[in-house]
Amino acid sequence: MTYIAKPKINLPGQKRNELGLLQRDYEGSLSTLCAGCGHDSITAALVQALWEMSIAPEKLIKLSGIGCSSKTPAYFVSGAHGFNSVHGRMPSVATGAHAGNRDLICIGVSGDGDSLSIGFGQFGHAIRRNLNMLYLIENNGVYGLTKGQFSASADPGSTAKKGAPNMMQSINPVATAISMGASFVGRSFSGDREQLVSLIKAGIAHPGCALLDVISPCVTFNDHVGSTKSYAYTREHKHQATATDFVPAAEEITTQYGEGETVAVTLHDGSTIVLKKADPDLDPTKRSAALAYLERHRDQGQIPTGLLFIDEHWPEMHEIAGTAKKPLKQFRFEELSPGREALEKLQRRMR
Ligand SMILES: Cc1ncc(C[n+]2csc(CCOP(=O)(O)OP(=O)(O)O)c2C)c(N)n1
Ligand code: SF4
Ligand SMILES: [Mg+2]
């Protein structure tokens, strides 16, 4: 893939994080996406969240499939590991990468086409296995990269740029993920940086698969009247179900929250996710309640945002499978190789 390197100019007065790094150190190459594309705003939120969490670039692995959305890992944390995989196959590569080195923080960036069409099977299994990663779907209702065909997340009745309506039902990634056993499900909007940064941080800290569906308008093919994934439609119909605040392990949490009902969820590392229920109808710790809530708001034409469901106790895939905690690269070859005798025994069984 071609890329344009961003010049590293360190302006005076910029703040450094706990590692002594500038926000600039969390950027990548120059974006080649269309000006105004929602995906670029999500990249900016990732840069901010990773910098604020002081995540060392070499501790991060960025994974993606194919699409405009899947190009974006090139635009943040150039010092991290990365793998731009085949269309819809990001979760398989993430599974392998995390088995090889469970110390890595995995961020998978996908599109609605990548995850809900060709990669729907892979998406489902990453969720049900609770693969420890932040799984971001940059959802614009179209295949942006291949010139704007409807994707599986396009709502019935929404129209294409040239006016033709979509006649098929849509797949709602949030409701689908909750029904498939997801342990962390949130939704946000590329135009709501504050909410998005909190949800990204909470998703990274969550010890399991954190699915974030982010409505991310495609300005070139799906930002017109008649689209339900445009900037205007999303601003008008989004409905904040929970206000999410992420509190790192070392910080005091008792006095930060004002009035209103709050749910505090403590994660394994001692961090806390505090959810202020903007809508008292939602209990984000009850799967059936979250599903009923989503359906009710869908009937009302609303797009609920915030952290919609969390189960902080369900173990993640490699914990269940008991794969090696020590990164594979730290083993000596002899420790990993089964040896000639074991290989011959295996071959005898196959004859
Ligand atoms: C196996 C395979 N089939 C089809 C394609 C063509 N293709 C490239 S990107 C894409 C869809 C991308 O849509 P989405 O994941 O929603 O990303 P967006 O561009 O909208 O961000 C398709 C169908 C491909 N690259 N590989
Ligand atoms: S075609 Fe759409 S999704 Fe792709 S970069 Fe342009 S605005 Fe973004
Ligand atoms: Mg898309």
Side-chain angles (χ1 to χ4, degrees), residues 31-40 67-69 71 138 140 142-148 216-222:
S31 169
T32 56
L33 303 186
C34 309
C37 176
H39 300 352
D40 277 337
C68 298
S69 33
K71 284 169 70 176
E138 302 191 340
N140 53 17
V142 287
Y143 299 164
L145 190 73
T146 53
K147 306 255 179 289
S216 176
C218 168
V219 286
T220 303
F221 298 111
N222 204 17

Side-chain angles (χ1 to χ4, degrees), residues 28-347:
S29 51
L30 273 183
S31 169
T32 56
L33 303 186
C34 309
C37 176
H39 300 352
D40 277 337
S41 308
I42 301 172
T43 300
L46 279 163
V47 167
Q48 184 182 332
L50 292 163
W51 176 75
E52 285 179 5
M53 290 180 90
S54 293
I55 289 178
E58 68 276 11
K59 284 275 177 198
L60 179 70
I61 180 161
K62 311 167 293 180
L63 304 132
S64 62
I66 300 290
C68 298
S69 33
S70 292
K71 284 169 70 176
T72 64
Y75 310 144
F76 64 93
V77 199
S78 49
H81 309 277
F83 199 100
N84 182 209
S85 76
V86 187
H87 200 13
R89 269 59 176 183
M90 176 275 285
S92 297
V93 181
T95 306
H98 204 236
N101 187 349
R102 284 168 64 183
D103 288 347
L104 291 176
I105 292 165
C106 286
I107 298 185
V109 185
S110 185
D112 39 319
D114 197 60
S115 277
L116 306 180
S117 293
I118 194 167
F120 197 40
Q122 298 241 335
F123 164 70
H125 289 285
I127 298 285
R128 66 172 272 275
R129 290 172 181 161
N130 205 18
L131 184 61
N132 191 2
M133 68 184 300
L134 172 66
Y135 192 135
L136 269 168
I137 299 184
E138 302 191 340
N139 189 349
N140 53 17
V142 287
Y143 299 164
L145 190 73
T146 53
K147 306 255 179 289
Q149 301 86 348
F150 283 129
S151 79
S153 74
D155 293 310
S158 63
T159 61
K161 205 173 174 184
K162 290 192 175 155
N166 169 40
M167 305 299 283
M168 290 183 211
Q169 282 293 347
S170 57
I171 295 175
N172 176 347
V174 159
T176 309
I178 296 175
S179 73
M180 286 192 296
S183 58
F184 179 116
V185 180
R187 186 191 274 131
S188 193
F189 170 44
S190 63
D192 187 348
R193 170 84 80 98
E194 199 186 332
Q195 183 192 52
L196 187 50
V197 169
S198 293
L199 284 171
I200 289 172
K201 287 180 178 175
I204 290 173
H206 174 70
C209 191
L211 176 82
L212 265 191
D213 175 35
V214 188
I215 309 295
S216 176
C218 168
V219 286
T220 303
F221 298 111
N222 204 17
D223 194 33
H224 44 266
V225 177
S227 161
T228 56
K229 299 279 189 290
S230 64
Y231 280 108
Y233 187 94
T234 311
R235 281 200 187 103
E236 201 176 314
H237 292 83
K238 82 183 161 74
H239 170 84
Q240 190 162 313
T242 54
T244 313
D245 210 340
F246 174 73
V247 186
E251 279 182 30
E252 172 72 49
I253 61 157
T254 47
T255 55
Q256 305 190 7
Y257 305 102
E259 299 198 337
E261 202 182 341
T262 56
V263 183
V265 183
T266 305
L267 302 178
H268 293 199
D269 67 351
S271 306
T272 308
I273 301 170
V274 180
L275 302 172
K276 192 180 287 173
K277 288 203 252 171
D279 191 333
D281 278 3
L282 176 67
D283 181 350
T285 61
K286 298 254 175 332
R287 197 177 296 275
S288 56
L291 278 172
Y293 180 88
L294 283 170
E295 276 309 304
R296 199 162 55 248
H297 284 270
R298 184 163 120 134
D299 287 348
Q300 292 163 10
Q302 289 178 329
I303 308 168
T305 67
L307 185 54
L308 301 167
F309 177 74
I310 183 160
D311 172 356
E312 77 278 26
H313 299 300
W314 199 255
E316 58 96 13
M317 173 181 171
H318 289 295
E319 208 55 59
I320 298 169
T323 49
K325 284 217 165 116
K326 185 159 113 177
L328 290 188
K329 69 174 179 146
Q330 287 174 12
F331 284 92
R332 282 178 294 113
F333 178 71
E334 306 81 67
E335 289 178 86
L336 289 173
S337 160
R340 175 182 285 271
E341 219 170 274
L343 188 62
E344 277 173 3
K345 196 171 154 201
L346 183 75
Q347 282 175 331

